[in-house]
Amino acid sequence: MSDKNILVINSGSSSIKFALVNDSQDEFLLEGLAECLGSPAAVVNWKQNDEKKSLLLDGADHTGALAKILPLVQEVAQGKLTGIGHRVVHGSAHVTKASMITPDVIQVIKDAAALAPLHNPPGLMGIEVAQTIYPDLPHVGVFDTAFHQTMPDYAYRYAIPEHLYTGHHIRRYGFHGTSHMYVSRKGAEMAGLPVDNSCWLVAHLGNGCSTSAVVNGESRDTSMGLTPLEGLVMGTRSGDVDPSLHSHLYRTLGWDQEKVETVLTKESGLLGVSGLSNDMRTLIEASEQGNARATLAIEIFCYRLAKSLASLSCALPKLDGLLFTGGIGENASLIRRKTLEHMPLFNFKLDDQANQACTRGVAGKISAQGHPLVMVVPTNEERQIANETLELIAANV
Ligand code: AMP
């Protein structure tokens, strides 16, 4: 085992997800989740060598939780921790790649909090607490938006007055960049193509969903925009709606901005249409038992996904393949099949057996011979964050 260990931290408003990644081992040395932070139920659960462990945190906040997690990490890493990679959601247009956490980068994260109010502040809290506990280790920020900074202006600009862009940074940014980058690189490796001469459509389908067009290792377009609400139908998010919907709901129902935002982000998507669940597994089961609303939610999800993929093909000079990832993309053969059925002009055809075999982390080609390549590529954001963190630390030695 190499002695290069990176701790990856993904800090949310009441949770901290973490993984200890060794650069020569496929399995993580340690991975876990501290949740319900700041409440009496605060707890950290982790897995080490397939053994699950748990520790109550006595109402600890982020500081208290990291104070418990970091010594555990050091013990497993046998004191050899090379650095810490922090997932940060928004780096605005200033951050185009993984960056050492410096006072300037902290300022960028703070400034971008207006664009990601639910994500950047807890991310920053995780960074500050970890830096306090380990001031001598290199800390690296890996940004969800960074990979999409290669989009051309005609893809990232909205057709609204220019001063809203120049003065207020209103443009499309895109998210899930770490996953789109990892999956497009892995897809190229699996297909035996050089990353810098390969073109992919990527569908990241988890609780949040987004598509991207990746050309020669660079994002050329993606479905999410200023915020992660734009684009596809998701677990509880509506994705694209008519921009006039907000004012229509205000005029006709008297809903204020907060109510509209809550409905579109927390009560819409698969949950809103089905009235049942935001969980695709539940909807597939319900649909099989004849639940019409679950069936409709699945149909809308797949049709809108197909439409998004077809539109992103405008960004590709050629298509080397379509890659599915995320909890739904990696597991739901039904969703993969239904989506491609909505794209007859692309000549996609799945090998039914291969499609059904790709589930629970199994990667591979699922397209039939003689048809455009379609693959399932399990994402691994922690691995990507660790790789980028290590590369940056190595470059700065
Ligand atoms: P993620 O956010 O990537 O963890 O993905 C969560 C989504 O993946 C949820 O909608 C789950 O229902 C869905 N998912 C996980 N496993 C399956 C499965 N076997 N079949 C269908 N959907 C699944």
Side-chain angles (χ1 to χ4, degrees):
M1 183 167 102
S2 113
D3 58 3
K4 291 191 183 122
N5 296 307
I6 296 292
L7 172 64
V8 175
I9 295 181
N10 181 354
S11 182
S13 57
S14 63
S15 68
I16 300 174
K17 203 173 163 202
F18 59 96
L20 180 61
V21 184
N22 179 276
D23 81 329
S24 66
Q25 305 255 30
D26 282 345
E27 294 289 313
F28 297 154
L29 304 183
L30 187 71
E31 62 185 309
L33 176 71
E35 52 190 339
C36 306
L37 299 179
S39 85
V43 65
V44 56
N45 294 297
W46 71 95
K47 197 174 83 172
Q48 184 187 353
N49 297 329
D50 287 331
E51 202 183 329
K52 291 185 179 165
K53 297 188 182 170
S54 184
L55 180 70
L56 285 173
L57 292 171
D58 296 327
D61 57 8
H62 285 67
T63 310
L66 275 179
K68 286 271 189 331
I69 293 167
L70 291 175
L72 176 72
V73 167
Q74 279 292 23
E75 192 188 316
V76 176
Q78 297 176 346
K80 290 177 187 150
L81 196 54
T82 315
I84 302 187
H86 297 268
R87 179 201 179 208
V88 186
V89 167
H90 218 305
S92 67
H94 291 289
V95 178
T96 57
K97 52 185 188 309
S99 308
M100 282 290 174
I101 299 288
T102 61
D104 283 352
V105 170
I106 288 197
Q107 194 56 48
V108 167
I109 299 171
K110 281 185 181 158
D111 292 345
L115 296 164
L118 299 180
H119 294 102
N120 271 25
L124 190 56
M125 186 162 35
I127 291 172
E128 288 177 337
V129 172
Q131 276 189 322
T132 309
I133 300 177
Y134 285 119
D136 298 330
L137 279 180
H139 292 257
V140 172
V142 180
F143 295 76
D144 262 24
T145 49
F147 182 58
H148 299 301
Q149 281 298 311
T150 44
M151 283 193 282
D153 54 4
Y154 55 81
Y156 72 68
R157 285 285 299 276
Y158 289 113
I160 56 176
E162 193 187 31
H163 66 90
L164 292 173
Y165 167 64
T166 50
H168 301 279
H169 316 291
I170 296 175
R171 50 160 282 179
R172 306 182 64 247
Y173 290 97
F175 299 86
H176 292 146
T178 307
S179 176
H180 286 285
M181 184 174 179
Y182 177 85
V183 168
S184 53
R185 276 166 169 59
K186 194 81 188 167
E189 185 188 314
M190 285 163 60
L193 294 170
V195 172
D196 59 6
N197 185 13
S198 62
C199 297
W200 306 101
L201 287 173
V202 182
H204 174 108
L205 311 174
N207 250 323
C209 301
S210 65
T211 48
S212 70
V214 181
V215 175
N216 303 338
E218 293 185 346
S219 172
R220 289 290 162 81
D221 202 354
T222 188
S223 58
M224 285 177 167
L226 174 72
T227 74
L229 185 57
E230 186 174 328
L232 305 178
V233 172
M234 310 181 210
T236 59
R237 285 174 242 165
S238 62
D240 291 340
V241 291
D242 186 323
S244 296
L245 181 62
H246 288 68
S247 46
H248 179 79
L249 293 172
Y250 166 70
R251 274 197 315 274
T252 55
L253 302 178
W255 287 7
D256 62 13
Q257 167 257 324
E258 206 172 316
K259 168 82 178 165
V260 176
E261 193 162 308
T262 302
V263 168
L264 294 184
T265 57
K266 300 207 167 92
E267 299 170 10
S268 295
L270 295 174
L271 174 65
V273 178
S274 70
L276 186 65
S277 173
N278 63 330
D279 192 303
M280 188 56 95
R281 263 170 306 203
T282 309
L283 296 187
I284 293 173
E285 279 167 28
S287 173
E288 282 166 358
Q289 285 158 17
N291 183 315
R293 285 178 66 185
T295 303
L296 180 61
I298 292 170
E299 295 298 332
I300 298 175
F301 182 92
C302 294
Y303 178 65
R304 289 268 301 270
L305 169 59
K307 236 166 71 156
S308 172
L309 290 167
S311 71
L312 284 191
S313 72
C314 296
L316 300 179
K318 61 169 180 163
L319 178 65
D320 287 314
L322 165 59
L323 311 174
F324 282 103
T325 196
I328 299 172
E330 292 168 29
N331 291 295
S333 54
L334 174 85
I335 302 301
R336 299 189 293 245
R337 177 173 59 72
K338 278 187 169 295
T339 301
L340 300 193
E341 282 171 2
H342 285 298
M343 305 176 74
L345 301 185
F346 284 76
N347 194 30
F348 286 125
K349 186 171 185 327
L350 294 184
D351 174 326
D352 285 339
Q353 247 183 342
N355 186 31
Q356 273 160 35
C358 281
T359 174
R360 294 172 190 274
V362 176
K365 175 182 165 194
I366 59 171
S367 45
Q369 214 51 41
H371 290 266
L373 180 64
V374 184
M375 291 195 289
V376 173
V377 182
T379 194
N380 193 334
E381 289 165 278
E382 288 80 12
R383 172 70 58 187
Q384 181 66 31
I385 292 173
N387 289 349
E388 291 184 52
T389 300
L390 260 183
E391 275 170 29
L392 191 61
I393 291 173
N396 277 274
V397 169

